[in-house]
Amino acid sequence: MPETIAEFPISPVVKKFADATRIAANTNAGSNAKIADRDTPLIQNCWYILDWAGDVEHALKNRMILGHDLVYFRTQSGAVTALQNRCAHRCFPLHRSVLHNNDTIQCNYHGLTYNSEGSCVKIPSAPNKDPSSIKIQHYPVVERSPFLWVWPGDPDKADADQIPDYDWVNDDAWGYGDGYYHLDGNYLAIHENLMDITHFQFLHGAVLGTPNFAEAKIDVTEDGNTVDNYRINLGEPLPGLHSEATGLGKTVVNRQAHSAFVTPGFHEAVTLMNDPAGTQGGRNDYHAHILHLITPESQYTTHYWWIFARDFNPTVKKWDKFYSDSTRAVFTEDADAIDWMEQQWAKEDRAGFREANVLADKGAVAMRRIVQRMADAEQAGG
Ligand code: FES
Ligand SMILES: [Fe+2]
């Protein structure tokens, strides 16, 4: 590392998850271990984003996550409840049913009625029978503004302390743009895309890339079940995405970036753009902090939310819109790439095909080894 540039520390969130998973992760590590791919079973015991908290009211919504079809709504008490979207009687989809003011859902087929915990409270055709033995699955949900998190796996293992801490986004020191898209591809393709940002200058051009961006040395640190990629680019102007919003224009800066796999549902990226000359009133440091929230919908389709936060001009709303619009355009290029690659897998069955790995894949391969380990443990009942 050059002596002129100070090390840019990893986020405390990544550190916390590394600490929490270090012992378990080290028990069966091995360099020859198999790595996860698009067919590896999804990791159920993990927190994933269900929705924007502000988009859920006292009305039935429906979303598939990790192969579970959910119906969910905000109860009169303000908490959000998520239930199996399938009546226990004849599988009628409950999001096409009636939500009553007392937070019960009445199935629109034969009227079986469920409370917000998923227990049946009424069978219209058998009014004298105790309905409580009929139940639908109830999923743990936690609200952390601006998101709702859901746990699709074993509810006894759901620990809200394992939800990443991003409370700082609600602070005035940060402004952000955000977005969501649905993706035709396995969720690991998004994690891989984020672990190897040498694609910036090729897939995204001058909006995100700079001429020498892909050549930066990458330090990969694997710790517990986390993997961090750390890179430094010295002496280039910022790409189009940041040049105007920072006000730095063509000023030559140094860029340092961490991009970390934290959990199967969460990737965190933090960038420091350093202007050693302090051309704007002596200010040297400008940060972008991006939350990538990845929820498999099914084995080969994915929900993806993001928050693109900045500590420059944080309260100027036009930059919120700018970052929402421009990151949507950039991430659509990623989504197209992943969709096209998925189509290649689907349309040509080339026996014995193995992906070639290059140096920049070190972090992504480590991530895939960790996910395989998690999947193996989960399939073994761990
Ligand atoms: S299918 Fe729901 S009550 Fe019959
Ligand atoms: Fe990208």
Side-chain angles (χ1 to χ4, degrees):
M1 180 180 304
E3 287 172 8
T4 50
I5 192 159
E7 185 163 354
F8 173 40
I10 198 167
S11 139
V13 175
V14 179
K15 178 83 172 57
K16 174 186 156 180
F17 278 82
D19 289 346
T21 57
R22 192 173 296 129
I23 294 170
N26 284 344
T27 53
N28 61 352
S31 57
N32 293 325
K34 191 168 167 257
I35 65 171
D37 60 24
R38 52 202 283 289
D39 302 319
T40 301
L42 303 174
I43 308 301
Q44 301 282 339
N45 286 322
C46 182
W47 290 103
Y48 295 96
I49 298 299
L50 173 63
D51 207 337
W52 298 107
D55 285 352
V56 182
E57 298 172 343
H58 190 71
L60 297 175
K61 288 192 81 172
N62 166 231
R63 174 160 281 149
M64 176 85 90
I65 62 145
L66 287 97
H68 302 249
D69 192 20
L70 304 187
V71 59
Y72 56 102
F73 62 97
R74 194 174 289 283
T75 63
Q76 299 290 10
S77 70
V80 169
T81 195
L83 302 169
Q84 174 185 337
N85 186 30
R86 173 186 283 235
C87 179
H89 179 223
R90 289 293 180 271
C91 301
F92 190 87
L94 292 172
H95 77 285
R96 299 183 186 279
S97 298
V98 177
L99 175 63
H100 290 298
N101 280 337
N102 66 355
D103 294 332
T104 60
I105 303 177
Q106 180 182 303
C107 177
N108 243 6
Y109 201 3
H110 313 97
L112 265 70
T113 303
Y114 301 89
N115 66 18
S116 59
E117 299 295 310
S119 291
C120 184
V121 294
K122 186 176 173 189
I123 307 172
S125 58
N128 299 321
K129 229 165 134 61
D130 176 7
S132 62
S133 64
I134 298 177
K135 293 184 194 306
I136 53 174
Q137 191 173 348
H138 175 254
Y139 294 82
V141 172
V142 172
E143 182 162 347
R144 295 273 166 81
S145 175
F147 291 113
L148 292 165
W149 293 79
V150 65
W151 179 276
D154 179 353
D156 291 341
K157 294 185 171 152
D159 173 5
D161 276 354
Q162 291 302 311
I163 295 173
D165 177 10
Y166 50 84
D167 215 20
W168 52 267
V169 300
N170 299 309
D171 194 289
D172 280 349
W174 292 88
Y176 66 85
D178 56 34
Y180 161 86
Y181 65 68
H182 178 271
L183 191 96
D184 288 324
N186 175 265
Y187 78 112
L188 291 178
I190 305 181
H191 278 292
E192 278 224 305
N193 170 287
L194 300 167
M195 295 298 277
D196 178 7
I197 56 179
T198 59
H199 75 270
F200 277 10
Q201 78 201 63
F202 307 103
L203 189 62
H204 304 308
V207 174
L208 266 191
T210 51
N212 301 322
F213 192 76
E215 293 165 20
K217 180 175 175 294
I218 305 165
D219 286 330
V220 174
T221 308
E222 196 175 338
D223 196 359
N225 283 341
T226 67
V227 187
D228 178 57
N229 300 275
Y230 180 45
R231 55 187 296 129
I232 300 177
N233 281 85
L234 295 173
E236 288 189 302
L238 288 170
L241 187 67
H242 301 306
S243 57
E244 204 187 336
T246 54
L248 287 168
K250 299 261 179 258
T251 306
V252 170
V253 301
N254 301 317
R255 263 167 111 185
Q256 300 176 66
H258 286 283
S259 53
F261 170 83
V262 188
T263 78
F266 179 52
H267 177 105
E268 183 180 49
V270 192
T271 296
L272 167 63
M273 296 162 274
N274 175 265
D275 170 16
T279 48
Q280 296 191 104
R283 179 172 183 168
N284 298 116
D285 292 346
Y286 302 75
H287 294 89
H289 195 151
I290 308 110
L291 309 180
H292 300 275
L293 302 133
I294 300 159
T295 304
E297 177 186 50
S298 66
Q299 189 72 38
Y300 305 112
T301 57
T302 306
H303 305 288
Y304 176 34
W305 289 261
W306 70 87
I307 282 189
F308 202 106
R310 64 190 190 279
D311 68 354
F312 39 93
N313 296 317
T315 56
V316 182
K317 290 292 166 208
K318 80 166 181 176
W319 294 119
D320 291 357
K321 179 164 172 21
F322 170 82
Y323 275 102
S324 294
D325 293 347
S326 45
T327 52
R328 171 168 298 283
V330 165
F331 294 159
T332 298
E333 292 168 343
D334 293 306
D336 284 346
I338 289 167
D339 183 8
W340 296 334
M341 292 187 291
E342 190 71 40
Q343 289 177 32
Q344 290 304 110
W345 280 101
K347 77 182 181 192
E348 187 194 36
D349 184 12
R350 187 172 282 237
F353 174 78
R354 293 277 178 280
E355 292 169 310
N357 289 315
V358 297
L359 208 55
D361 294 313
K362 187 177 174 191
V365 169
M367 176 274 293
R368 286 169 60 171
R369 190 176 299 126
I370 286 167
V371 171
Q372 183 67 48
R373 210 157 62 205
M374 296 172 106
D376 288 346
E378 205 164 280
Q379 298 301 307

